[in-house]
Amino acid sequence: MIWLTKKLEFPDIHKADESGLLAIGGDLSPERLLLAYKSGIFPWYNPNEIIQWWSPNPRFVLYPNKLKISKSTQKILNQEYFHFTENQCFSEVISQCASIKRPGQRGTWITDEMFNAYCTLHELGLAKSVEVWKNNDLVGGFYGIDLHIVFCGESMFSKVSNSSKCGFTYFVQKHSHQYKLIDCQIHSSYLEQLGAEEISREKFKTFLECREIKNLHFNL
């Protein structure tokens, strides 16, 4: 197991174990988080645990042109049952993602430390949210990291049936010419129904080696 120090670096992603765990320790500073996502790494750990950094193989992703839209979802979109915004209430979206009850989970991995870290990334223009509204009520949404040509989804929530699915569909369709890939990290049957698939870690890495991502930075 590789322990991170205060030095701003990560080991080669191919050193991750079979589960995808690459390293532990370090911090959630904006600089480290940006380096992590640019390297194909993300933090994921439970409350009261040391920070864990992951780079799974295979990687679960969605190619925007392979998005699957069911007839029922298209009908809801055509009826404009929901309306959508972006970056209107990031902190509320991540709070809802943290508090929503999920089958088989006793709690959330979005700790106060994670909440504050991603809110800081949002303020720096690196993290973005998508909000789904029914009338004036926030009923669904998700957030993630915007690497300009790759969007790294982190978590989503839904208070009304089909809200997050419609929000995700709206987002992928709207930005299909911008993003070459939507990173979903690890397999879920829910996203598989929407067209997500597994690719090798090596293939995923090639999407991160372009100039747009390598030169991505922010001013603190």
Side-chain angles (χ1 to χ4, degrees):
M1 178 55 59
I2 300 173
W3 284 76
L4 300 181
T5 66
K6 292 182 179 180
K7 188 176 181 180
L8 190 60
E9 64 179 7
F10 285 99
D12 187 287
I13 59 175
H14 298 97
K15 294 183 178 180
D17 65 19
E18 292 184 0
S19 70
L21 182 60
L22 175 65
I24 59 176
D27 54 60
L28 296 179
S29 66
E31 299 92 339
R32 189 179 294 278
L33 284 169
L34 177 57
L35 176 60
Y37 283 96
K38 289 170 64 173
S39 304
I41 303 164
F42 60 89
W44 185 29
Y45 60 101
N46 293 316
N48 302 317
E49 290 182 345
I50 193 168
I51 300 173
Q52 300 174 20
W53 300 91
W54 300 77
S55 183
N57 186 33
R59 194 83 171 208
F60 200 54
V61 303
L62 172 74
Y63 294 96
N65 63 352
K66 292 186 178 182
L67 175 68
K68 296 179 181 178
I69 308 174
S70 67
K71 291 182 179 179
S72 59
T73 298
Q74 189 61 61
K75 182 178 180 180
I76 295 172
L77 291 171
N78 291 341
Q79 292 175 339
E80 298 183 350
Y81 185 80
F82 301 112
H83 72 275
F84 314 100
T85 59
E86 296 182 25
N87 294 322
Q88 294 303 300
C89 48
F90 182 90
S91 61
E92 179 63 20
V93 169
I94 192 172
S95 292
Q96 292 291 341
C97 289
S99 62
I100 202 78
K101 293 183 178 180
R102 306 176 193 273
Q105 293 186 9
R106 293 181 296 175
T108 178
W109 56 269
I110 305 174
T111 63
D112 289 344
E113 184 182 24
M114 292 281 275
F115 176 89
N116 293 330
Y118 283 85
C119 284
T120 298
L121 289 182
H122 174 65
E123 294 170 0
L124 293 168
L126 185 63
K128 69 188 304 180
S129 62
V130 175
E131 300 88 21
V132 184
W133 305 87
K134 177 56 181 171
N135 300 321
N136 293 319
D137 297 324
L138 182 64
V139 296
F142 58 93
Y143 74 96
I145 303 302
D146 183 4
L147 297 181
H148 291 185
I149 64 169
V150 175
F151 181 79
C152 303
E154 279 297 314
S155 185
M156 62 172 55
F157 79 96
S158 179
K159 289 186 172 181
V160 174
S161 180
N162 294 307
S163 61
S164 61
K165 182 185 296 184
C166 287
F168 185 76
T169 300
Y170 150 83
F171 177 77
V172 175
Q173 287 185 312
K174 179 181 178 182
H175 297 285
S176 61
H177 297 296
Q178 174 185 354
Y179 297 120
K180 294 182 179 180
L181 202 68
I182 309 294
D183 176 27
C184 306
Q185 297 180 345
I186 58 176
H187 177 270
S188 78
S189 56
Y190 176 79
L191 291 174
E192 185 175 24
Q193 293 175 357
L194 297 178
E197 61 187 89
E198 291 182 334
I199 64 173
S200 70
R201 179 168 51 209
E202 188 63 32
K203 188 173 183 178
F204 177 71
K205 183 182 177 183
T206 63
F207 283 89
L208 304 175
E209 293 176 340
C210 64
R211 182 178 59 187
E212 294 93 332
I213 292 179
K214 284 188 174 182
N215 293 337
L216 183 60
H217 66 279
F218 45 72
N219 296 318
L220 294 176

